Amino acid sequence: MSRVKRFLRKTFLYSIYLFLVRQRKRLRAFIRKKTNPLYKYYVFKVLYPRVYKKAAKAPVDENKVVFIELRLPTLTNSFKLMYDTLYTYYDFDIHCHFLRNTYVSRKKYRNNCKRMLADIATAKYVFFDEATNVTSHVQFRPETVITQLWHGCGAFKKFGYSTADAIFGATREEMDKYPFNRGYTNVTVSSPEVIWAYEEAMNYSHESGVVKALGSSRTDIFYDREVIDNAYKTLYELMPEAKGKKVILYAPTFRGRVAKATTPRVLNPEFMKYVLGDEYVLLMKHHPLVRKRPKIRASLRDFARDMTNAMTIEDLLCVSDICISDYSSLVFEYSLFEKPMIFLANDLDQFFDWRGFYYDYFELAPGPIVKNTTEVIEYIKNIDELFDKERVHAFREKFMSACDGHATERIMKVTFGDALEEHKREVPLEKAPYHLEPHAKGYKVKKKRVPVVSDENEDETESDETADVSDDDDETTEQTSAENNLTESEE
């Protein structure tokens, strides 16, 4: 503490000092809020299009493939299988960009976007797995094939244009001004049944044929026995008590606004252990947006564990015998295993008013809809008599028919066409280096990050998370009001 501050603490002047500090912060926030429309106009309508247009003067590189990860410092599972397949069996020039939206300062995020735009300006193939308004006013060259792999399956909670003017969403006018999903050549979805929902959410006409039921690349791993065996191995290493017992997975979606996301606290693990502890273990996987998760008592560690940071949602789905969720799209993926699902929806009315669903919730849910732990336990105790496997099978056929273990293959054929044969390696590589660093120059991943909740983000993609304040730039990433683009996907 400075000498001046120490001196002021001993006098009445310290109260005046604190008042001035708080007013300075409020004034800065007020100025940023008022100038944000001008900033957004310049960045999205002037700067980004200009960067792309300048770089697009060079010819298209027919060999270049670019993966764009909006938030995380590594490629997510939506990209992993596609990336590994392309790298191992084909000789494309693969680039990766990690924009780190809401994790870095506004200046660094803007620079990351500029490098990405300059790179994709000469790329033949570009892959996204989330929505972004960075390209809202970029006129993509017609030679480039832009594929949106998306990161969720089915169609559960509404997002995008489907939430226009709802409590959760922005106004249609705001969505039209800086659209989050435009310029795609292909949007891949899990079945023909949900094409209409994605067309509505992304504002594409059915005649455009952009949304295609090619399946979700990330679901192919659920047909891989080695992946499933490794998931069990990981579980038993982390929780030896799970051996010989059945696994209950509790994976709820978040509540509220993305910047202050919370998790429901309706499930009682103590009561569940008392009744089910001899036969089951309970694994919890909270939404990654949730910062304050319920703590599990040490006395319950032989029964209940929070696996949010320890295991991926894919691995948890592989090892679970029962899945408890609420409004999360992970139930679509879990239906591939045709195992029991329980829908713990104690706040259904409020959630419907907040965001809404694409289908009637009571008709959609392929399992019991309950409101408390007692009802959850009662169903599990009588699961052999109550579980309706035919209902889950029908759900799977309706919403996941294109996820048959060959989705990646179909998506590649549609995206690359004849170029696949031209770029096929004579000898496949033994191991794909699942990149931790992008090809773009000047990018560094910081190991230690200080979470700072920002009131506004420049580009709020499907999942807004914490912002990091860098040492050399005190500008934090701005948020728009486009929370409508957040989906229910776990990852």
Side-chain angles (χ1 to χ4, degrees):
M1 186 183 297
S2 66
R3 281 191 229 172
V4 175
K5 196 171 183 179
R6 281 199 299 269
F7 171 77
L8 291 175
R9 285 178 71 92
K10 300 177 183 179
T11 69
F12 72 93
L13 295 174
Y14 189 64
S15 298
I16 299 176
Y17 166 77
L18 290 178
F19 174 78
L20 293 175
V21 168
R22 293 189 183 110
Q23 290 303 314
R24 183 184 67 179
K25 291 181 179 179
R26 289 172 183 169
L27 178 61
R28 184 179 178 184
F30 175 79
I31 293 174
R32 173 163 287 187
K33 184 176 181 180
K34 292 299 181 182
T35 59
N36 191 51
L38 292 175
Y39 173 82
K40 286 178 61 178
Y41 180 90
Y42 168 72
V43 170
F44 294 123
K45 292 192 175 184
V46 179
L47 178 62
Y48 289 160
R50 185 173 64 195
V51 170
Y52 181 89
K53 187 175 181 180
K54 181 179 179 180
K57 292 179 180 179
V60 169
D61 183 348
E62 298 288 334
N63 302 320
K64 188 194 292 187
V65 180
V66 181
F67 288 86
I68 301 171
E69 174 57 54
L70 272 75
R71 296 180 293 117
L72 302 182
T74 61
L75 293 179
T76 61
N77 290 335
S78 301
F79 286 139
K80 187 179 187 303
L81 191 55
M82 181 69 69
Y83 174 90
D84 287 350
T85 303
L86 287 175
Y87 182 89
T88 303
Y89 299 101
Y90 302 91
D91 62 358
F92 289 103
D93 179 20
I94 304 176
H95 293 203
C96 303
H97 287 269
F98 303 96
L99 304 186
R100 301 297 283 147
N101 177 41
T102 72
Y103 279 87
V104 295
S105 69
R106 185 166 70 176
K107 180 179 179 180
K108 287 190 175 182
Y109 174 69
R110 187 172 64 242
N111 288 336
N112 289 343
C113 291
K114 288 165 63 178
R115 284 192 291 268
M116 177 272 292
L117 290 167
D119 200 17
I120 67 173
T122 56
K124 177 63 177 179
Y125 310 98
V126 177
F127 288 99
F128 289 92
D129 77 330
E130 294 190 48
T132 176
N133 57 8
V134 171
T135 58
S136 60
H137 290 277
V138 172
Q139 297 300 318
F140 292 112
R141 57 199 308 172
E143 304 98 312
T144 303
V145 179
I146 301 176
T147 301
Q148 173 61 264
L149 295 178
W150 210 241
H151 52 270
C153 296
F156 212 156
K157 301 190 301 286
K158 290 185 175 181
F159 71 99
Y161 275 86
S162 300
T163 63
D165 300 312
I167 298 175
F168 178 81
T171 65
R172 179 167 287 273
E173 181 182 359
E174 290 171 328
M175 295 180 190
D176 288 337
K177 196 170 185 180
Y178 301 103
F180 274 72
N181 294 283
R182 62 171 302 277
Y184 301 144
T185 310
N186 309 300
V187 176
T188 66
V189 296
S190 60
S191 77
E193 169 65 31
V194 300
I195 288 178
W196 72 270
Y198 284 79
E199 288 173 343
E200 177 185 295
M202 297 182 177
N203 199 28
Y204 284 100
S205 67
H206 187 67
E207 291 71 26
S208 68
V210 170
V211 183
K212 301 176 175 68
L214 301 175
S216 173
S217 175
R218 63 183 289 169
T219 63
D220 287 353
I221 65 172
F222 296 130
Y223 295 86
D224 189 332
R225 188 67 242 180
E226 183 180 355
V227 170
I228 297 174
D229 290 342
N230 286 336
Y232 275 103
K233 181 179 178 181
T234 301
L235 171 62
Y236 296 149
E237 288 176 351
L238 295 172
M239 189 180 185
E241 298 88 348
K243 288 184 178 180
K245 292 187 177 182
K246 296 179 182 178
V247 176
I248 302 169
L249 171 64
Y250 179 48
T253 191
F254 74 97
R255 303 298 195 273
R257 298 284 181 184
V258 293
K260 297 181 179 180
T262 61
T263 195
R265 296 171 183 260
V266 62
L267 198 66
N268 187 331
E270 290 89 348
F271 188 20
M272 292 187 71
K273 178 182 178 180
Y274 178 76
V275 181
L276 305 171
D278 292 338
E279 189 178 354
Y280 293 91
V281 293
L282 174 65
L283 307 181
M284 296 186 178
K285 177 75 170 180
H286 297 284
H287 196 282
L289 290 181
V290 176
R291 300 174 182 89
K292 294 183 179 180
R293 304 191 296 269
K295 293 184 178 180
I296 299 175
R297 295 178 181 176
S299 60
L300 298 175
R301 283 186 59 81
D302 61 336
F303 170 74
R305 297 283 184 92
D306 184 350
M307 294 293 190
T308 303
N309 296 329
M311 294 180 68
T312 67
I313 186 60
E314 288 80 12
D315 283 350
L316 288 170
L317 292 179
C318 287
V319 301
S320 299
D321 297 287
I322 302 171
C323 179
I324 305 173
S325 192
D326 42 26
Y327 321 114
S328 174
S329 70
L330 65 86
V331 297
F332 293 103
E333 294 168 74
Y334 192 66
S335 71
L336 295 175
F337 296 95
E338 297 192 353
K339 294 180 179 180
M341 287 179 269
I342 303 173
F343 293 79
L344 181 53
N346 65 310
D347 57 351
L348 180 58
D349 292 339
Q350 298 95 309
F351 200 91
F352 180 81
D353 292 339
W354 179 261
R355 189 162 176 177
F357 304 99
Y358 285 109
Y359 294 86
D360 182 276
Y361 189 82
F362 291 93
E363 295 179 2
L364 174 74
I369 300 173
V370 300
K371 293 187 177 181
N372 53 54
T373 305
T374 301
E375 294 181 2
V376 169
I377 293 174
E378 190 63 27
Y379 179 82
I380 293 176
K381 286 173 61 180
N382 299 282
I383 199 165
D384 291 337
E385 295 80 25
L386 297 177
F387 174 47
D388 186 352
K389 188 172 182 177
E390 289 300 318
R391 187 177 178 187
V392 176
H393 178 76
F395 178 86
R396 170 184 174 172
E397 290 298 305
K398 182 175 183 177
F399 293 105
M400 299 293 290
S401 59
C403 297
D404 56 0
H406 302 284
T408 303
E409 180 184 346
R410 279 193 298 273
I411 295 170
M412 289 175 58
K413 287 181 178 179
V414 170
T415 302
F416 297 96
D418 296 336
L420 281 178
E421 284 300 318
E422 297 172 9
H423 287 273
K424 195 167 185 177
R425 297 182 187 274
E426 292 185 5
V427 179
L429 299 181
E430 292 184 3
K431 187 177 180 181
Y434 196 44
H435 280 316
L436 299 179
E437 296 281 342
H439 290 246
K441 295 180 179 179
Y443 180 88
K444 294 181 179 179
V445 178
K446 291 185 178 180
K447 293 183 178 180
K448 293 184 179 180
R449 301 192 174 279
V450 181
V452 178
V453 179
S454 174
D455 291 331
E456 297 186 2
N457 278 9
E458 177 179 318
D459 171 17
E460 188 170 291
T461 63
E462 285 73 25
S463 298
D464 279 21
E465 301 195 21
T466 56
D468 291 329
V469 179
S470 62
D471 296 330
D472 58 344
D473 188 347
D474 61 357
E475 281 189 287
T476 55
T477 309
E478 284 191 66
Q479 290 180 331
T480 68
S481 59
E483 290 178 336
N484 53 289
N485 284 286
L486 182 83
T487 72
E488 64 275 17
S489 177
E490 177 63 28
E491 292 294 317

